[in-house]
Amino acid sequence: MKGIVFTEFMELVESKFGEDTMEDMLEAADLSSDGSYTSVGTYDHNELVKMVEELSKITKVDVPDLIKAFGNHLGVVFYTKFTTFFEQADGTLEFLKSIDDHIHVEVAKLYPDAELPVFAYKEHEDGSFHLFYSSTRGFSDLAHGLIEATSGYYKESFSIEREDSIEGSTHKTHFVLTPS
Amino acid sequence: MSEERLRKRVQREKKARMEAEKILEDKSRELYERNTQLKELSENLEKQVVQRTQDLKVAHDKALSAVKAKSEFIANMSHEIRTPLNGVLGMLTMTLDTQLTEKQKKWIGNAFNSGQHLLSVVNDILDFSKIEAGKMVIQMEATDVISLTRGTVSGLRSIAKEKGIELACQFPKQFPSYIDADPLRFRQILTNLISNALKFTSEGSVNVSIKQTQERYTLKVEDAGIGMSEKQIGRIFNAFGQADGSITRQFGGTGLGLTITQYFIDMMGGNITVSSEKGRGSCFIVELPLVEQDALSKEQQLRAVSADGRFESAEVLLVEDLIVNQEIAEYLLNRANLKVDIANNGKEAIEAIEKKDYSVVLMDLQMPVLGGIEATEIIRKKYSKEKLPIIAMTAHATKEHKDEVLSKGMNDHVSKPIETSELYRALAAFLTFEQDKELKDKNKEPATEKQQVPTSDTQNYAGLDIVQGLARVSGKTGFYCRLLRSFHDSYQKYSANLKRHLSAQEWDESIAVLHALRGSSLNISANELAEHTSTFERTLRDASYDNVLELESKLFKLGEQVESSLLEYLAQHQ
Ligand code: HEM
């Protein structure tokens, strides 16, 4: 997984829970990289999983909530760093539709070794929007947080329901967004 | 925070920094290498492009010279075929005039027809290569279209009869005897259309009709043949394009006839249209403009009428080295009531002239001992053009060739193989027809009066060789004006297209426009423009584009000059 995800995670942990919590987390996680990340590097995504688990133990916040919060944070980072992608779309749904065949495509060009999830979508006549996440890494919560951050950018609000499943090593999540 | 933690943290940051630096170094090295590869690749590519372009140019040059060699070969071959064929046809004509049994008459007649057919094929090919090379010239004169049409139709009757097809003609009662046309080419148009109609009709009839309004002559050739689809109609005027390939196999033919026909009609200021229905038949309509008939000189009318007539007895010297040709020419001259002496070469001709006064000399060009041009130059030192007319017999029927002959002191020229009517027409300028004698004595006009080009006319038109232009159309001002007008119309189109193509660097398209412009310029004798156009064309064909801007600006300068000259000419002659 790309370094930017790790450095941003560290930023978040340090600013939200303080330096000491971060050091505790790192000590407990006992990572092969020692937690020394740079945004231009590439690291094992399991290190992120490990850190989140330790952080959860220390802070007593559930893992999914932590990851979702991280998704929120990452969304803000994305729209400050990659503003044009957001400007190209008129709203949350249009933006989400463009992840799979535009945004992540460009991301893959920029970082050839990036591991990206697959997204599909469907619009129902009743006005609901269905987004299907699938990835071997299982970061549905991150996606959830990113979706919330996106609707925040466009100042739109949705009720988000989700259903998780696992097929073999593939994690799948069916998000349903309904305007509220 | 404890010191231990701080130390750890600093260490962690240092490690991250070093790692980042290493990644950056690796990436910049990679970038550098990629860059180098890219550079090599693009240099290679450039080299390849240069090499390929060179290869292409070599191939292109080869192809060009092959095409040129082929055209020359075709021209030479046609000539080589025409000469002996002329011998065969001449001998057959003579044989037909002797006592023959019915059977023999039929056989010889068939042989003669086949020979004529062969000659027409060779002529098509020659005509086409001349048109392609922009060397075709038409000679407008007062032409008796009615009798020409009648004659042509009756010549084709035998084919119709053989196929069991009716060939019907309808002519209006009051039809002017003469319209302004090139009789040779007019007959070619007729023959082409009618024999096509006959060829593609297996039963029913072919109708030929002529209509005429104030300013238009309309020829309609209708058949009940195999007809054509729209797509086929679109193709038939293209060179080598019969309606489809199987037609060629079934019906034969060069596929050049209609291309040539259309060209001649264009040159005479007319147009041709086709309508057809598959399985039903086709209808070709030719429209030619009529000109004021008063402008025709009596002499031209006489010439046109008497193509088959007899002259008042006169003595003619025939200079020719080939026995076959001697016999044919002698026969034709005798038939027209002329006495003939024969000289085998230029030297003998000079000797003969010293002994006797001849009314006309007919002079071949290529002869042993002394050629025709050399002999003429010697004769002209003593005898002027008026005193002793010399008519050249030229096998190379190109305009350049004829011009050269005239510049060497000859009065006129006829092409070989000798066409009866062309020969008599040429002779008529210097001899008197039997039935015209009285007429001529009464109004003492000189027989050679042609429409003279006033000399004042010739000076003020920069870029236009008015004398030559008029000469090409037998001095017909009206017709020349028509050509100028049509040039004016197409020039607007050409120049716009050319500008567009050149600025878009569409070289092939530019070449095509230049080629067409050159043809149009030649037609009106805008010689400088034609020459420059052809230089320009050649430069583009050689793929050298350095001087395009210069060439372009010169072209338009010359073009504007021609335009303003022709407008001035038109203003003064309408
Ligand atoms: C401008 C917008 C975006 C950019 C620039 C972006 C870029 C990235 C990058 C760089 C990664 C890391 C891949 C790796 O390290 O191998 C990633 C992963 C991911 N992205 Fe995006 N992304 C954007 C929008 C979104 C949105 C809106 C969603 C959610 C709907 C999303 C869902 C994910 C998920 C879930 C992952 C984690 C990898 C996985 O689950 O397989 N992304 N993205």
Side-chain angles (χ1 to χ4, degrees):
Chain A
M1 188 163 269
K2 297 312 296 179
I4 183 175
V5 180
F6 291 85
T7 52
E8 284 307 328
F9 180 71
M10 302 296 267
E11 279 298 312
L12 181 68
V13 174
E14 194 179 355
S15 64
K16 282 268 148 66
F17 303 103
E19 284 179 0
D20 281 327
T21 312
M22 182 174 78
E23 292 304 327
D24 289 343
M25 175 190 80
L26 283 177
E27 258 166 38
D30 188 21
L31 308 160
S32 60
S33 70
D34 294 332
S36 108
Y37 301 115
T38 133
S39 69
V40 290
T42 305
Y43 309 92
D44 184 354
H45 79 276
N46 286 314
E47 291 200 356
L48 187 64
V49 177
K50 199 89 207 290
M51 284 192 285
V52 176
E53 278 167 2
E54 295 306 329
L55 185 63
S56 168
K57 280 183 208 158
I58 298 166
T59 60
K60 308 277 185 280
V61 181
D62 287 346
V63 169
D65 290 340
L66 284 175
I67 299 183
K68 203 169 96 179
F70 178 44
N72 276 312
H73 170 77
L74 207 54
V76 178
V77 172
F78 282 166
Y79 62 67
T80 43
K81 277 206 157 128
F82 304 100
T83 320
T84 45
F85 286 127
F86 289 84
E87 284 169 349
Q88 282 164 3
D90 282 340
T92 313
L93 299 184
E94 201 190 326
F95 180 83
L96 294 179
K97 286 184 204 169
S98 69
I99 305 169
D100 206 62
D101 61 4
H102 177 47
I103 299 174
H104 277 176
V105 173
E106 295 304 314
V107 170
K109 286 184 200 162
L110 192 62
Y111 309 117
D113 50 358
E115 297 170 309
L116 295 158
V118 176
F119 284 102
Y121 66 89
K122 208 180 228 168
E123 286 164 291
H124 280 205
E125 272 168 21
D126 62 6
S128 60
F129 180 83
H130 300 248
L131 188 70
F132 304 91
Y133 163 90
S134 85
S135 164
T136 51
R137 288 161 295 280
F139 279 118
S140 329
D141 296 315
L142 189 75
H144 198 148
L146 278 164
I147 296 170
E148 285 178 356
T150 305
S151 64
Y153 170 84
Y154 291 105
K155 298 191 171 54
E156 293 170 327
S157 104
F158 296 91
S159 73
I160 303 176
E161 284 168 48
R162 52 183 272 198
E163 208 184 292
D164 299 324
S165 61
I166 297 188
E167 276 175 34
S169 58
T170 307
H171 299 253
K172 295 197 163 186
T173 298
H174 175 180
F175 292 97
V176 182
L177 280 73
T178 331
S180 62
Chain B
M1 208 195 304
S2 75
E3 223 174 273
E4 169 65 8
R5 287 207 155 171
L6 211 63
R7 200 181 49 78
K8 260 195 181 168
R9 185 165 184 161
V10 169
Q11 237 173 11
R12 207 167 60 225
E13 294 296 333
K14 193 176 165 198
K15 191 177 165 203
R17 200 196 76 222
M18 278 161 65
E19 207 181 297
E21 281 168 357
K22 186 172 176 306
I23 290 171
L24 285 179
E25 260 174 44
D26 286 351
K27 289 277 167 202
S28 21
R29 199 173 319 113
E30 199 180 311
L31 206 67
Y32 170 79
E33 277 163 15
R34 288 270 162 89
N35 227 348
T36 317
Q37 279 171 7
L38 212 70
K39 219 168 157 183
E40 270 170 28
L41 213 74
S42 83
E43 267 168 19
N44 252 337
L45 222 78
E46 248 165 63
K47 266 188 219 147
Q48 263 181 35
V49 168
V50 170
Q51 181 62 41
R52 296 253 161 97
T53 313
Q54 226 162 27
D55 291 353
L56 266 179
K57 193 173 158 1
V58 171
H60 181 249
D61 287 351
K62 262 192 197 156
L64 265 191
S65 68
V67 166
K68 200 167 158 247
K70 263 183 205 156
S71 310
E72 274 165 20
F73 174 76
I74 288 175
N76 283 336
M77 272 321 275
S78 327
H79 172 61
E80 290 294 323
I81 295 168
R82 279 208 313 180
T83 308
L85 192 57
N86 170 44
V88 172
L89 288 174
M91 288 301 162
L92 290 176
T93 312
M94 281 153 67
T95 314
L96 275 174
D97 271 6
T98 60
Q99 284 271 297
L100 296 172
T101 68
E102 274 309 303
K103 258 191 185 164
Q104 286 171 328
K105 219 179 206 156
K106 199 177 143 207
W107 291 340
I108 302 272
N110 283 345
F112 184 79
N113 286 342
S114 303
Q116 271 224 293
H117 178 69
L118 181 55
L119 189 63
S120 77
V121 170
V122 175
N123 283 340
D124 269 4
I125 295 172
L126 251 185
D127 279 350
F128 180 70
S129 50
K130 262 190 255 169
I131 290 173
E132 280 280 88
K135 286 185 177 157
M136 179 60 79
V137 176
I138 63 162
Q139 315 255 331
M140 301 297 278
E141 59 186 70
T143 305
D144 180 354
V145 272
I146 273 280
S147 60
L148 203 57
T149 310
R150 277 221 176 88
T152 311
V153 170
S154 67
L156 293 163
R157 276 246 151 71
S158 57
I159 305 176
K161 217 165 149 192
E162 246 167 59
K163 289 190 78 174
I165 300 167
E166 192 195 347
L167 179 52
C169 287
Q170 281 159 335
F171 300 125
K173 286 219 176 63
Q174 302 117 335
F175 195 81
S177 304
Y178 306 95
I179 72 160
D180 209 19
D182 180 329
L184 196 73
R185 303 317 183 185
F186 183 83
R187 187 161 48 205
Q188 237 171 305
I189 295 170
L190 269 172
T191 311
N192 248 320
L193 293 180
I194 299 175
S195 54
N196 266 352
L198 289 172
K199 193 152 101 177
F200 295 117
T201 305
S202 50
E203 55 185 83
S205 62
V206 170
N207 288 307
V208 181
S209 62
I210 292 179
K211 269 206 210 106
Q212 184 237 323
T213 60
Q214 288 275 257
E215 67 276 346
R216 252 171 208 292
Y217 158 93
T218 309
L219 168 77
K220 194 157 128 188
V221 179
E222 257 175 310
D223 68 47
I226 57 173
M228 290 173 285
S229 66
E230 295 227 347
K231 208 169 132 206
Q232 290 175 323
I233 292 179
R235 271 212 304 260
I236 54 170
F237 290 107
N238 296 343
F240 313 109
Q242 283 176 330
D244 71 55
S246 68
I247 302 276
T248 315
R249 286 190 289 283
Q250 195 183 346
F251 296 95
T254 54
L256 291 176
L258 282 176
T259 313
I260 297 171
T261 300
Q262 186 179 37
Y263 177 83
F264 288 148
I265 294 171
D266 278 356
M267 280 297 286
M268 294 186 205
N271 66 299
I272 179 166
T273 50
V274 197
S275 56
S276 182
E277 211 179 304
K278 213 160 169 67
R280 275 283 173 76
S282 310
C283 176
F284 287 79
I285 295 176
V286 177
E287 289 186 306
L288 291 176
L290 294 174
V291 264
E292 274 296 322
Q293 294 311 305
D294 306 346
L296 296 181
S297 75
K298 185 139 270 148
E299 182 260 345
Q300 278 170 316
Q301 295 194 14
L302 285 179
R303 282 222 245 166
V305 179
S306 309
D308 261 339
R310 286 159 60 85
F311 294 98
E312 264 182 52
S313 183
E315 298 214 63
V316 174
L317 179 65
L318 176 66
V319 193
E320 165 72 67
D321 60 325
L322 288 180
I323 307 278
V324 181
N325 289 347
Q326 285 177 0
E327 284 183 35
I328 295 164
E330 188 180 12
Y331 172 78
L332 291 175
L333 293 168
N334 282 338
R335 203 165 74 169
N337 197 28
L338 298 172
K339 290 207 186 79
V340 182
D341 284 342
I342 292 174
N344 290 302
N345 56 52
K347 190 161 166 279
E348 285 185 26
I350 294 169
E351 289 161 9
I353 287 164
E354 292 301 326
K355 288 186 199 127
K356 216 190 241 180
D357 280 342
Y358 292 103
S359 304
V360 178
V361 177
L362 276 168
M363 180 88 78
D364 184 29
L365 296 187
Q366 278 158 333
M367 291 178 292
V369 188
L370 188 63
I373 289 181
E374 295 78 6
T376 305
E377 280 174 335
I378 295 171
I379 293 169
R380 283 287 170 254
K381 286 186 185 141
K382 216 164 158 189
Y383 302 94
S384 69
K385 268 188 171 180
E386 288 69 32
K387 198 146 181 240
L388 183 61
I390 301 178
I391 300 174
M393 299 186 286
T394 56
H396 295 282
T398 64
K399 167 121 197 348
E400 285 81 356
H401 213 82
K402 290 182 174 175
D403 285 349
E404 193 204 338
V405 161
L406 294 188
S407 75
K408 291 282 155 57
M410 308 262 190
N411 295 60
D412 202 352
H413 48 73
V414 295
S415 37
K416 289 206 300 191
I418 292 175
E419 268 238 3
T420 318
S421 55
E422 194 192 354
L423 175 67
Y424 292 168
R425 224 172 281 145
L427 288 170
F430 314 108
L431 302 173
T432 318
F433 282 117
E434 218 166 33
Q435 66 266 40
D436 308 333
K437 195 174 173 236
E438 281 169 45
L439 220 159
K440 206 151 208 185
D441 287 344
K442 264 187 218 150
N443 57 57
K444 284 264 178 205
E445 281 174 277
T448 46
E449 191 215 13
K450 280 197 180 171
Q451 284 203 329
Q452 287 291 326
V453 183
T455 36
S456 65
D457 246 17
T458 62
Q459 281 142 12
N460 316 327
Y461 304 103
L464 273 179
D465 187 340
I466 302 279
V467 177
Q468 193 198 51
L470 278 168
R472 272 185 195 214
V473 293
S474 319
K476 291 277 192 273
T477 314
F479 185 72
Y480 188 57
C481 286
R482 216 154 66 214
L483 287 181
L484 290 178
R485 246 174 277 127
S486 105
F487 176 90
H488 174 64
D489 293 343
S490 46
Y491 179 77
Q492 304 303 325
K493 200 177 68 201
Y494 289 148
S495 55
N497 287 346
L498 189 61
K499 274 187 194 135
R500 190 159 45 80
H501 291 314
L502 285 174
S503 67
Q505 312 205 331
E506 293 164 346
W507 305 125
D508 285 348
E509 289 80 354
S510 305
I511 287 172
V513 177
L514 284 169
H515 194 76
L517 176 59
R518 175 164 164 266
S520 302
S521 315
L522 280 178
N523 283 345
I524 58 166
S525 289
N527 296 333
E528 277 166 79
L529 180 59
E531 203 168 297
H532 180 70
T533 313
S534 113
T535 311
F536 200 167
E537 188 189 331
R538 229 177 306 118
T539 314
L540 291 187
R541 280 193 200 280
D542 289 345
S544 67
Y545 308 121
D546 296 344
N547 299 325
V548 166
L549 281 180
E550 229 169 273
L551 288 165
E552 183 182 355
S553 89
K554 183 166 174 204
L555 182 94
F556 288 121
K557 222 150 100 202
L558 287 171
E560 292 313 316
Q561 191 185 43
V562 169
E563 278 280 279
S564 77
S565 290
L566 76 81
L567 290 176
E568 200 180 314
Y569 185 89
L570 285 174
Q572 283 172 16
H573 291 85
Q574 272 168 350

